[in-house]
Each structure stands twice: as structure tokens, then as C-alpha cells.
Amino acid sequence: MVIVKVPSLTTTQIQKRIDFCTELLKIPEKDPFWSQIVFSDESKKGAEDMDHAAWQKPKEPRLEREVKRWGVKIHVWGFIGGNCRHLAKVPKDAITGDVYLEYLKEGIRKQNAQWRETHWWQQDNASPHNKGKTLLDHGYKVLDWPPNSPDLSPIENSWGRLWKEVGK
């Protein structure tokens, strides 16, 4: 089991999540906006991480296990939504802002060149998304995603399913 410590949300972050969701709930279910959201993210796993994560109650003793330091790693980036999906293996350990933009451009080329004008991109607030030339600088529409809110993105469920299959 892998224990992942998640920091508590601040009062401001909680309010931003509430405001974000409240605004989205105002958009009618049949509005074309919903079919134009593209959720993007990256995920990586090492060979030692192919088991399941576990929730741990506060003050519960930590579960410990031996971990191989230099195990095999799989690093992927992808997007879902807008009637599409795209997955790419990342050749490096880290995604920089420039690498991120290159993956986006390649994924968009495979889908539809008009996406810049028609689709909304969801991205978490990881530093590659916000440093250097960003999607906004290249004319893309980007959702104002609340900080520390990966649980609001459906692509997180896709990663869970992917890693479950890889672990078989």
C-alpha cells in the first residue's frame, strides 16, 4: 500500500471550489459547453506502485513497506473529453512548460485543428501549465480551475482504470 498525504484545503481554496462548481451548475445540461471541455493531466507510476493506494485515518500508524529505489517507471500524459481521447508516453521524468505545449499540439493535430477556438481546456495548476508560454498565450480557452482540486476532474478516474489494467 502507498500512503499519499494530501494537504488540507485552506478556507480560500474551499471557497474557490464552491464558487467554481456553483458557476458550472448554472450551465444547462444540454449546453454545447459540456461537450467542448477537454480534461488533461499527466500520471506516472513505478513498478513498485502498481498496487492500490489506501486511505489512512489521522493519527493512524503509517503503513511501511520496502520500495525499490530505481524501479521501472511509466510516465504518461493525456486528455479526454470533447468526444475524444489521447494518450502519450512521456520520454522524460518531468514535463516542462515547453514539453507540455508540444504534447498538446501533437494531440490537437490528431483531433481537430479548430479546437483552439471551440474547446475549453482543463488543466490542474501544476507549474508546467503556468510557466513560460501557456495555453492562454497560444490562444486556447482555459477553465479557471480551482487550486488543489484534482478530484473534480474525470481524467483522474481514467488514470485509476489505466493503472489497474497495467498492474494486471
Side-chain angles (χ1 to χ4, degrees):
M1 298 285 174
V2 177
I3 304 299
V4 179
K5 273 217 171 248
V6 179
S8 297
L9 295 173
T10 66
T11 305
T12 302
Q13 291 170 333
I14 290 168
Q15 189 58 52
K16 283 184 178 185
R17 287 168 60 102
I18 291 168
D19 294 346
F20 176 78
C21 293
T22 301
E23 287 303 308
L24 287 181
L25 287 170
K26 292 177 184 176
I27 302 170
E29 188 177 333
K30 299 213 184 275
D31 191 292
F33 169 80
W34 295 110
S35 64
Q36 296 170 341
I37 301 175
V38 180
F39 297 90
S40 65
D41 196 15
E42 68 175 294
S43 184
K44 70 172 111 173
K45 291 284 184 192
E48 67 277 358
D49 297 330
M50 293 304 175
D51 56 2
H52 299 285
W55 288 100
Q56 181 178 349
K57 294 178 183 175
K59 299 182 182 170
E60 194 174 62
R62 269 189 90 119
L63 297 173
E64 293 187 20
R65 66 186 175 92
E66 190 176 328
V67 176
K68 293 179 186 174
R69 186 168 178 197
W70 305 108
V72 176
K73 287 187 180 172
I74 302 170
H75 191 174
V76 294
W77 173 84
F79 58 76
I80 60 170
N83 300 316
C84 71
R85 64 181 182 264
H86 178 75
L87 181 66
K89 182 179 178 298
V90 177
K92 299 178 181 178
D93 263 355
I95 289 187
T96 64
D98 291 336
V99 170
Y100 176 66
L101 282 171
E102 284 306 309
Y103 278 110
L104 277 176
K105 289 176 189 175
E106 178 61 27
I108 292 168
R109 266 193 295 273
K110 290 182 178 182
Q111 300 299 327
N112 183 335
Q114 302 302 314
W115 276 17
R116 185 176 300 190
E117 294 83 27
T118 61
H119 284 65
W120 285 87
W121 288 88
Q122 177 278 331
Q123 56 188 8
D124 59 24
N125 293 300
S127 58
H129 307 159
N130 300 311
K131 287 189 176 171
K133 295 231 176 209
T134 66
L135 283 175
L136 290 170
D137 295 330
H138 287 271
Y140 292 92
K141 298 187 291 185
V142 179
L143 289 175
D144 187 16
W145 201 252
N148 297 331
S149 300
D151 56 313
L152 298 180
S153 176
I155 198 166
E156 296 300 332
N157 294 324
S158 297
W159 295 138
R161 292 175 68 187
L162 171 75
W163 296 127
K164 185 175 179 181
E165 289 298 313
V166 170
K168 285 184 179 180

